[in-house]
Amino acid sequence: MQLRKWGLLLLALVMVGLPAVPVHASYLNGNEYAAMATRRVKITRTVHVYRVRTGKYEAANRFTDAGYVHKGAHVKISHWLMSAGSVWVIKSPHKYTHNSRTFFVVAAKGHHWYRKY
């Protein structure tokens, strides 16, 4: 019993003396999502845009309101719908720019809201 107490005390002292190692969470990369937006289009109908903050996996991504892309705007969109639902990745050099933790999507079904140019 006495030996066990000394072992626990020694373990506690060793744990206190160890340096704290920061834990870095690995998140999905918003730049990789934005790289899918290569098709240049002109918007034919005003559509809602959402900002996506990436999580550790796709189901952990968080969507927030980012505004609208208005009729007549020129943007780049992805060539296909994302697996997360009926959303298209979108980017614009002036308003909807991406970084390592965020990218933007348009929640619009079908192809009736844009035209290739």
Side-chain angles (χ1 to χ4, degrees), residues 59-104:
N61 288 350
R62 298 289 175 241
F63 292 76
T64 58
D65 184 25
Y68 292 91
V69 102
H70 295 284
K71 181 179 179 178
H74 295 269
V75 297
K76 289 184 179 181
I77 65 169
S78 57
H79 285 270
W80 54 85
L81 291 170
M82 283 184 56
S83 63
S86 297
V87 296
W88 301 76
V89 177
I90 187 172
K91 65 182 174 182
S92 169
H94 304 292
K95 190 170 182 181
Y96 300 114
T97 58
H98 55 87
N99 61 36
S100 63
R101 285 297 307 277
T102 62
F103 64 99
F104 295 88

Short mmCIF file of all heavy atoms in Angstrom, two decimals, residues 59-104:
data_model
loop_
_atom_site.label_atom_id
_atom_site.label_comp_id
_atom_site.label_asym_id
_atom_site.label_seq_id
_atom_site.Cartn_x
_atom_site.Cartn_y
_atom_site.Cartn_z
N ALA A 59 -19.66 17.64 -41.78
CA ALA A 59 -20.88 17.82 -40.99
C ALA A 59 -20.71 18.87 -39.90
O ALA A 59 -21.69 19.39 -39.37
CB ALA A 59 -21.30 16.49 -40.37
N ALA A 60 -19.48 19.22 -39.57
CA ALA A 60 -19.22 20.23 -38.53
C ALA A 60 -19.07 21.64 -39.11
O ALA A 60 -18.83 22.58 -38.37
CB ALA A 60 -17.97 19.86 -37.74
N ASN A 61 -19.18 21.80 -40.43
CA ASN A 61 -19.13 23.13 -41.04
C ASN A 61 -20.30 23.96 -40.54
O ASN A 61 -21.40 23.44 -40.35
CB ASN A 61 -19.18 23.04 -42.56
CG ASN A 61 -17.90 22.50 -43.16
OD1 ASN A 61 -16.89 22.34 -42.47
ND2 ASN A 61 -17.94 22.19 -44.44
N ARG A 62 -20.09 25.26 -40.33
CA ARG A 62 -21.13 26.17 -39.84
C ARG A 62 -21.46 27.21 -40.89
O ARG A 62 -20.57 27.85 -41.43
CB ARG A 62 -20.67 26.86 -38.56
CG ARG A 62 -20.40 25.92 -37.42
CD ARG A 62 -21.72 25.34 -36.89
NE ARG A 62 -21.46 24.35 -35.87
CZ ARG A 62 -21.82 23.09 -35.97
NH1 ARG A 62 -22.44 22.66 -37.03
NH2 ARG A 62 -21.58 22.25 -35.00
N PHE A 63 -22.75 27.37 -41.18
CA PHE A 63 -23.22 28.31 -42.18
C PHE A 63 -23.77 29.56 -41.51
O PHE A 63 -24.54 29.46 -40.55
CB PHE A 63 -24.34 27.67 -43.01
CG PHE A 63 -23.88 26.53 -43.88
CD1 PHE A 63 -23.61 25.29 -43.33
CD2 PHE A 63 -23.70 26.70 -45.23
CE1 PHE A 63 -23.18 24.23 -44.11
CE2 PHE A 63 -23.28 25.65 -46.02
CZ PHE A 63 -23.02 24.42 -45.47
N THR A 64 -23.39 30.74 -42.01
CA THR A 64 -23.95 32.00 -41.53
C THR A 64 -24.30 32.86 -42.73
O THR A 64 -23.76 32.68 -43.83
CB THR A 64 -22.96 32.77 -40.62
OG1 THR A 64 -21.75 33.00 -41.35
CG2 THR A 64 -22.66 32.01 -39.35
N ASP A 65 -25.17 33.81 -42.51
CA ASP A 65 -25.62 34.71 -43.58
C ASP A 65 -24.48 35.62 -44.02
O ASP A 65 -23.79 36.20 -43.20
CB ASP A 65 -26.80 35.54 -43.06
CG ASP A 65 -27.40 36.42 -44.12
OD1 ASP A 65 -27.26 36.10 -45.32
OD2 ASP A 65 -28.00 37.45 -43.76
N ALA A 66 -24.29 35.76 -45.34
CA ALA A 66 -23.24 36.63 -45.85
C ALA A 66 -23.79 37.69 -46.79
O ALA A 66 -23.05 38.54 -47.28
CB ALA A 66 -22.17 35.82 -46.56
N GLY A 67 -25.08 37.66 -47.11
CA GLY A 67 -25.66 38.67 -47.99
C GLY A 67 -26.22 38.08 -49.26
O GLY A 67 -26.67 36.93 -49.29
N TYR A 68 -26.15 38.88 -50.31
CA TYR A 68 -26.72 38.48 -51.60
C TYR A 68 -25.72 38.76 -52.71
O TYR A 68 -24.88 39.64 -52.60
CB TYR A 68 -28.00 39.27 -51.90
CG TYR A 68 -29.13 38.92 -50.98
CD1 TYR A 68 -29.32 39.62 -49.79
CD2 TYR A 68 -29.98 37.88 -51.27
CE1 TYR A 68 -30.36 39.30 -48.94
CE2 TYR A 68 -31.01 37.54 -50.42
CZ TYR A 68 -31.20 38.26 -49.26
OH TYR A 68 -32.22 37.93 -48.40
N VAL A 69 -25.85 38.00 -53.78
CA VAL A 69 -25.15 38.30 -55.02
C VAL A 69 -26.26 38.73 -55.97
O VAL A 69 -27.26 38.03 -56.14
CB VAL A 69 -24.32 37.09 -55.50
CG1 VAL A 69 -24.93 36.32 -56.59
CG2 VAL A 69 -22.96 37.45 -55.87
N HIS A 70 -26.14 39.94 -56.52
CA HIS A 70 -27.23 40.54 -57.26
C HIS A 70 -27.15 40.26 -58.76
O HIS A 70 -26.08 39.99 -59.31
CB HIS A 70 -27.26 42.05 -57.00
CG HIS A 70 -27.57 42.38 -55.58
ND1 HIS A 70 -28.83 42.29 -55.06
CD2 HIS A 70 -26.76 42.76 -54.56
CE1 HIS A 70 -28.81 42.62 -53.78
NE2 HIS A 70 -27.56 42.91 -53.45
N LYS A 71 -28.29 40.37 -59.39
CA LYS A 71 -28.43 40.17 -60.82
C LYS A 71 -27.43 41.05 -61.56
O LYS A 71 -27.27 42.22 -61.23
CB LYS A 71 -29.86 40.52 -61.25
CG LYS A 71 -30.13 40.34 -62.70
CD LYS A 71 -31.57 40.67 -63.01
CE LYS A 71 -31.86 40.51 -64.49
NZ LYS A 71 -33.25 40.79 -64.80
N GLY A 72 -26.73 40.46 -62.51
CA GLY A 72 -25.75 41.19 -63.30
C GLY A 72 -24.32 41.04 -62.82
O GLY A 72 -23.38 41.42 -63.52
N ALA A 73 -24.11 40.51 -61.63
CA ALA A 73 -22.75 40.35 -61.09
C ALA A 73 -22.02 39.23 -61.82
O ALA A 73 -22.62 38.27 -62.30
CB ALA A 73 -22.82 40.04 -59.61
N HIS A 74 -20.72 39.36 -61.92
CA HIS A 74 -19.86 38.34 -62.52
C HIS A 74 -19.06 37.67 -61.41
O HIS A 74 -18.34 38.34 -60.67
CB HIS A 74 -18.90 38.97 -63.54
CG HIS A 74 -19.61 39.54 -64.72
ND1 HIS A 74 -19.85 38.82 -65.86
CD2 HIS A 74 -20.14 40.77 -64.92
CE1 HIS A 74 -20.50 39.59 -66.73
NE2 HIS A 74 -20.68 40.78 -66.18
N VAL A 75 -19.20 36.36 -61.27
CA VAL A 75 -18.53 35.60 -60.22
C VAL A 75 -18.04 34.27 -60.79
O VAL A 75 -18.31 33.96 -61.95
CB VAL A 75 -19.47 35.32 -59.02
CG1 VAL A 75 -19.90 36.60 -58.35
CG2 VAL A 75 -20.67 34.51 -59.44
N LYS A 76 -17.36 33.52 -59.96
CA LYS A 76 -16.96 32.16 -60.32
C LYS A 76 -17.71 31.21 -59.40
O LYS A 76 -17.85 31.46 -58.21
CB LYS A 76 -15.46 31.96 -60.15
CG LYS A 76 -14.64 32.69 -61.17
CD LYS A 76 -13.18 32.38 -61.00
CE LYS A 76 -12.36 33.10 -62.06
NZ LYS A 76 -10.93 32.78 -61.90
N ILE A 77 -18.19 30.10 -59.98
CA ILE A 77 -18.91 29.09 -59.20
C ILE A 77 -18.30 27.72 -59.49
O ILE A 77 -17.57 27.55 -60.46
CB ILE A 77 -20.42 29.07 -59.50
CG1 ILE A 77 -20.70 28.64 -60.93
CG2 ILE A 77 -21.05 30.41 -59.20
CD1 ILE A 77 -22.15 28.33 -61.21
N SER A 78 -18.65 26.75 -58.65
CA SER A 78 -18.19 25.38 -58.86
C SER A 78 -18.95 24.77 -60.03
O SER A 78 -20.02 25.23 -60.41
CB SER A 78 -18.38 24.55 -57.60
OG SER A 78 -19.73 24.57 -57.20
N HIS A 79 -18.40 23.71 -60.59
CA HIS A 79 -19.03 23.03 -61.72
C HIS A 79 -20.12 22.06 -61.30
O HIS A 79 -20.83 21.53 -62.13
CB HIS A 79 -17.98 22.28 -62.54
CG HIS A 79 -17.13 23.17 -63.37
ND1 HIS A 79 -17.44 23.51 -64.66
CD2 HIS A 79 -15.99 23.82 -63.09
CE1 HIS A 79 -16.52 24.32 -65.15
NE2 HIS A 79 -15.63 24.53 -64.20
N TRP A 80 -20.23 21.79 -60.00
CA TRP A 80 -21.20 20.82 -59.52
C TRP A 80 -21.68 21.23 -58.14
O TRP A 80 -21.05 22.02 -57.46
CB TRP A 80 -20.61 19.42 -59.48
CG TRP A 80 -19.34 19.36 -58.68
CD1 TRP A 80 -19.22 19.20 -57.34
CD2 TRP A 80 -18.02 19.51 -59.18
NE1 TRP A 80 -17.91 19.23 -56.96
CE2 TRP A 80 -17.13 19.43 -58.07
CE3 TRP A 80 -17.47 19.71 -60.44
CZ2 TRP A 80 -15.76 19.53 -58.20
CZ3 TRP A 80 -16.10 19.80 -60.55
CH2 TRP A 80 -15.27 19.72 -59.45
N LEU A 81 -22.79 20.64 -57.73
CA LEU A 81 -23.32 20.87 -56.39
C LEU A 81 -22.45 20.15 -55.37
O LEU A 81 -21.92 19.08 -55.64
CB LEU A 81 -24.74 20.32 -56.28
CG LEU A 81 -25.81 21.05 -57.08
CD1 LEU A 81 -27.10 20.26 -57.07
CD2 LEU A 81 -26.04 22.43 -56.51
N MET A 82 -22.31 20.73 -54.20
CA MET A 82 -21.56 20.08 -53.12
C MET A 82 -22.38 18.95 -52.54
O MET A 82 -23.61 18.96 -52.60
CB MET A 82 -21.23 21.08 -52.01
CG MET A 82 -20.11 22.00 -52.33
SD MET A 82 -19.71 23.05 -50.93
CE MET A 82 -19.39 21.88 -49.64
N SER A 83 -21.71 18.01 -51.92
CA SER A 83 -22.40 16.89 -51.29
C SER A 83 -23.20 17.32 -50.06
O SER A 83 -24.05 16.59 -49.59
CB SER A 83 -21.39 15.81 -50.89
OG SER A 83 -20.50 16.33 -49.92
N ALA A 84 -22.95 18.53 -49.56
CA ALA A 84 -23.65 19.03 -48.37
C ALA A 84 -25.10 19.39 -48.67
O ALA A 84 -25.85 19.73 -47.77
CB ALA A 84 -22.92 20.24 -47.80
N GLY A 85 -25.50 19.34 -49.92
CA GLY A 85 -26.86 19.70 -50.28
C GLY A 85 -26.86 20.51 -51.55
O GLY A 85 -25.92 20.46 -52.33
N SER A 86 -27.91 21.26 -51.76
CA SER A 86 -28.03 22.05 -52.99
C SER A 86 -27.30 23.38 -52.85
O SER A 86 -27.91 24.44 -52.86
CB SER A 86 -29.49 22.28 -53.30
OG SER A 86 -30.13 21.05 -53.55
N VAL A 87 -26.00 23.32 -52.72
CA VAL A 87 -25.20 24.54 -52.62
C VAL A 87 -24.08 24.51 -53.65
O VAL A 87 -23.53 23.46 -53.95
CB VAL A 87 -24.62 24.76 -51.21
CG1 VAL A 87 -25.72 24.98 -50.19
CG2 VAL A 87 -23.73 23.64 -50.79
N TRP A 88 -23.77 25.67 -54.18
CA TRP A 88 -22.69 25.85 -55.13
C TRP A 88 -21.62 26.71 -54.47
O TRP A 88 -21.93 27.73 -53.87
CB TRP A 88 -23.19 26.59 -56.38
CG TRP A 88 -24.30 25.90 -57.10
CD1 TRP A 88 -25.61 25.85 -56.73
CD2 TRP A 88 -24.19 25.18 -58.31
NE1 TRP A 88 -26.33 25.13 -57.65
CE2 TRP A 88 -25.48 24.71 -58.65
CE3 TRP A 88 -23.14 24.88 -59.17
CZ2 TRP A 88 -25.74 23.97 -59.77
CZ3 TRP A 88 -23.40 24.14 -60.30
CH2 TRP A 88 -24.68 23.69 -60.59
N VAL A 89 -20.37 26.32 -54.59
CA VAL A 89 -19.27 27.14 -54.08
C VAL A 89 -19.15 28.35 -54.99
O VAL A 89 -19.24 28.25 -56.21
CB VAL A 89 -17.95 26.35 -54.06
CG1 VAL A 89 -16.80 27.24 -53.60
CG2 VAL A 89 -18.06 25.14 -53.17
N ILE A 90 -18.97 29.52 -54.38
CA ILE A 90 -18.89 30.77 -55.14
C ILE A 90 -17.72 31.60 -54.65
O ILE A 90 -17.36 31.53 -53.47
CB ILE A 90 -20.21 31.57 -55.01
CG1 ILE A 90 -20.22 32.79 -55.91
CG2 ILE A 90 -20.47 31.95 -53.58
CD1 ILE A 90 -21.56 33.49 -55.98
N LYS A 91 -17.10 32.36 -55.56
CA LYS A 91 -16.09 33.31 -55.13
C LYS A 91 -16.11 34.52 -56.05
O LYS A 91 -16.46 34.43 -57.22
CB LYS A 91 -14.70 32.70 -55.04
CG LYS A 91 -14.09 32.23 -56.32
CD LYS A 91 -12.72 31.61 -56.04
CE LYS A 91 -12.15 31.00 -57.29
NZ LYS A 91 -10.86 30.36 -57.03
N SER A 92 -15.79 35.64 -55.47
CA SER A 92 -15.75 36.91 -56.15
C SER A 92 -14.52 37.65 -55.64
O SER A 92 -14.29 37.67 -54.43
CB SER A 92 -17.02 37.70 -55.84
OG SER A 92 -16.90 39.03 -56.28
N PRO A 93 -13.75 38.28 -56.51
CA PRO A 93 -12.51 38.90 -56.04
C PRO A 93 -12.72 40.09 -55.09
O PRO A 93 -11.84 40.42 -54.33
CB PRO A 93 -11.83 39.35 -57.32
CG PRO A 93 -12.91 39.44 -58.33
CD PRO A 93 -13.94 38.43 -57.93
N HIS A 94 -13.88 40.69 -55.12
CA HIS A 94 -14.09 41.89 -54.31
C HIS A 94 -14.86 41.65 -53.03
O HIS A 94 -14.55 42.22 -52.00
CB HIS A 94 -14.80 42.96 -55.14
CG HIS A 94 -14.08 43.28 -56.41
ND1 HIS A 94 -12.87 43.92 -56.42
CD2 HIS A 94 -14.37 43.01 -57.70
CE1 HIS A 94 -12.45 44.05 -57.67
NE2 HIS A 94 -13.34 43.50 -58.46
N LYS A 95 -15.87 40.81 -53.07
CA LYS A 95 -16.74 40.67 -51.91
C LYS A 95 -16.64 39.31 -51.23
O LYS A 95 -16.57 39.23 -50.01
CB LYS A 95 -18.19 40.93 -52.32
CG LYS A 95 -19.12 41.04 -51.14
CD LYS A 95 -20.47 41.54 -51.55
CE LYS A 95 -21.36 41.68 -50.34
NZ LYS A 95 -22.69 42.14 -50.68
N TYR A 96 -16.64 38.24 -51.99
CA TYR A 96 -16.68 36.90 -51.42
C TYR A 96 -15.33 36.21 -51.62
O TYR A 96 -15.15 35.40 -52.52
CB TYR A 96 -17.82 36.10 -52.02
CG TYR A 96 -19.15 36.75 -51.77
CD1 TYR A 96 -19.91 37.26 -52.81
CD2 TYR A 96 -19.63 36.89 -50.48
CE1 TYR A 96 -21.13 37.88 -52.56
CE2 TYR A 96 -20.84 37.51 -50.22
CZ TYR A 96 -21.57 38.01 -51.27
OH TYR A 96 -22.76 38.63 -51.01
N THR A 97 -14.39 36.57 -50.74
CA THR A 97 -13.06 35.97 -50.81
C THR A 97 -12.93 34.91 -49.72
O THR A 97 -13.59 34.98 -48.70
CB THR A 97 -11.96 37.04 -50.63
OG1 THR A 97 -12.15 37.68 -49.37
CG2 THR A 97 -12.00 38.06 -51.75
N HIS A 98 -12.10 33.95 -49.94
CA HIS A 98 -11.97 32.81 -49.04
C HIS A 98 -10.64 32.88 -48.30
O HIS A 98 -9.76 33.67 -48.63
CB HIS A 98 -12.05 31.52 -49.85
CG HIS A 98 -11.04 31.50 -50.97
ND1 HIS A 98 -9.76 31.05 -50.80
CD2 HIS A 98 -11.13 31.90 -52.26
CE1 HIS A 98 -9.11 31.17 -51.94
NE2 HIS A 98 -9.91 31.68 -52.85
N ASN A 99 -10.50 32.05 -47.29
CA ASN A 99 -9.23 31.85 -46.60
C ASN A 99 -9.17 30.41 -46.12
O ASN A 99 -9.99 29.59 -46.53
CB ASN A 99 -9.04 32.88 -45.46
CG ASN A 99 -10.10 32.78 -44.40
OD1 ASN A 99 -10.56 31.69 -44.05
ND2 ASN A 99 -10.50 33.92 -43.86
N SER A 100 -8.24 30.11 -45.24
CA SER A 100 -8.07 28.72 -44.83
C SER A 100 -9.23 28.19 -44.00
O SER A 100 -9.43 26.98 -43.91
CB SER A 100 -6.77 28.55 -44.04
OG SER A 100 -6.82 29.31 -42.85
N ARG A 101 -10.04 29.04 -43.39
CA ARG A 101 -11.15 28.58 -42.56
C ARG A 101 -12.52 28.93 -43.10
O ARG A 101 -13.52 28.46 -42.57
CB ARG A 101 -11.03 29.16 -41.14
CG ARG A 101 -9.99 28.54 -40.26
CD ARG A 101 -10.19 27.08 -39.94
NE ARG A 101 -11.48 26.71 -39.39
CZ ARG A 101 -11.82 26.80 -38.13
NH1 ARG A 101 -10.97 27.24 -37.24
NH2 ARG A 101 -13.02 26.43 -37.73
N THR A 102 -12.64 29.78 -44.12
CA THR A 102 -13.96 30.15 -44.63
C THR A 102 -14.02 30.09 -46.15
O THR A 102 -13.00 30.26 -46.82
CB THR A 102 -14.38 31.57 -44.20
OG1 THR A 102 -13.44 32.51 -44.73
CG2 THR A 102 -14.45 31.71 -42.70
N PHE A 103 -15.21 29.84 -46.65
CA PHE A 103 -15.51 29.95 -48.08
C PHE A 103 -16.98 30.29 -48.18
O PHE A 103 -17.68 30.37 -47.18
CB PHE A 103 -15.13 28.68 -48.85
CG PHE A 103 -15.90 27.45 -48.46
CD1 PHE A 103 -16.98 27.03 -49.23
CD2 PHE A 103 -15.56 26.70 -47.35
CE1 PHE A 103 -17.69 25.89 -48.87
CE2 PHE A 103 -16.26 25.57 -47.00
CZ PHE A 103 -17.33 25.16 -47.76
N PHE A 104 -17.48 30.55 -49.39
CA PHE A 104 -18.85 31.00 -49.57
C PHE A 104 -19.61 30.06 -50.51
O PHE A 104 -19.03 29.49 -51.42
CB PHE A 104 -18.86 32.42 -50.15
CG PHE A 104 -18.28 33.42 -49.20
CD1 PHE A 104 -16.92 33.69 -49.18
CD2 PHE A 104 -19.09 34.07 -48.29
CE1 PHE A 104 -16.38 34.59 -48.28
CE2 PHE A 104 -18.56 34.98 -47.38
CZ PHE A 104 -17.20 35.23 -47.38
#
